[in-house]
Amino acid sequence: MSFIPENKQIITISKVREMSPLVLAYIGDAVHSLYAREKYALSTTYKPNKLHILVSNEVKAKAQAQKIESILEKLTQEEKDIFMRARNTHVNSIAKNASKGEYLEATGFEAVIGYLYLTGQQDRLEELLSDEQN
């Protein structure tokens, strides 16, 4: 079962390359959050409070930084480029429960997720987000 939301507004890779990496991260954050929410809501019988705790633990910056470290060698060159652009972008804020390094790594992770979502690469998103692959 796939928990990846379907994108009906697929854009070209060249168009995505023109976008700010922080915009890609913004989209990726939403996609990753929805993925985690659907995964737990559809595969458990937990009440909303427990679901919230599980999802929060999965989508927080520290967890995303760990996730990208575990999949970094699996990224294509294009995905690595997106990750590096986002990780190296100047940000004005940092998550309250993460170091600056973790926050920047998480931003890179989210940008890769946003890139894959916007370009309609559903299978690749599932591969990188699924627990079985990591």
Side-chain angles (χ1 to χ4, degrees):
M1 174 186 298
S2 175
F3 301 108
I4 303 296
E6 184 179 346
N7 179 5
K8 301 203 187 274
Q9 194 76 23
I10 296 170
I11 61 176
T12 65
I13 291 173
S14 61
K15 177 77 173 163
V16 171
R17 285 185 190 136
E18 296 173 5
M19 296 175 76
S20 162
L22 295 180
V23 171
L24 295 177
Y26 177 74
I27 296 294
D29 177 55
V31 171
H32 187 222
S33 180
L34 183 58
Y35 172 85
R37 287 172 184 237
E38 284 188 21
K39 178 178 74 172
Y40 289 115
L42 299 176
S43 65
T44 70
T45 57
Y46 295 137
K47 294 186 188 304
N49 186 49
K50 176 71 172 175
L51 291 171
H52 174 74
I53 292 167
L54 288 170
V55 170
S56 294
N57 285 334
E58 186 168 323
V59 300
K60 65 184 177 183
K62 188 171 188 158
Q64 289 179 335
Q66 291 170 341
K67 180 81 164 181
I68 193 66
E69 289 300 320
S70 73
I71 63 171
L72 199 52
E73 70 278 352
K74 298 176 186 174
L75 298 182
T76 66
Q77 189 58 51
E78 181 75 20
E79 293 163 353
K80 286 179 185 175
D81 291 345
I82 297 287
F83 168 75
M84 294 300 290
R85 277 183 51 219
R87 190 189 72 179
N88 294 333
T89 298
H90 176 73
V91 293
N92 293 320
S93 63
I94 297 172
K96 60 184 171 189
N97 295 316
S99 70
K100 182 175 182 179
E102 289 169 334
Y103 184 76
L104 294 173
E105 296 268 315
T107 300
F109 171 77
E110 291 173 343
V112 170
I113 299 306
Y115 158 76
L116 292 171
Y117 175 76
L118 289 172
T119 57
Q121 299 182 55
Q122 300 292 105
D123 291 340
R124 183 67 172 151
L125 264 173
E126 183 67 39
E127 179 183 345
L128 295 181
L129 288 177
S130 70
D131 291 331
E132 296 79 41
Q133 297 295 319
N134 303 300

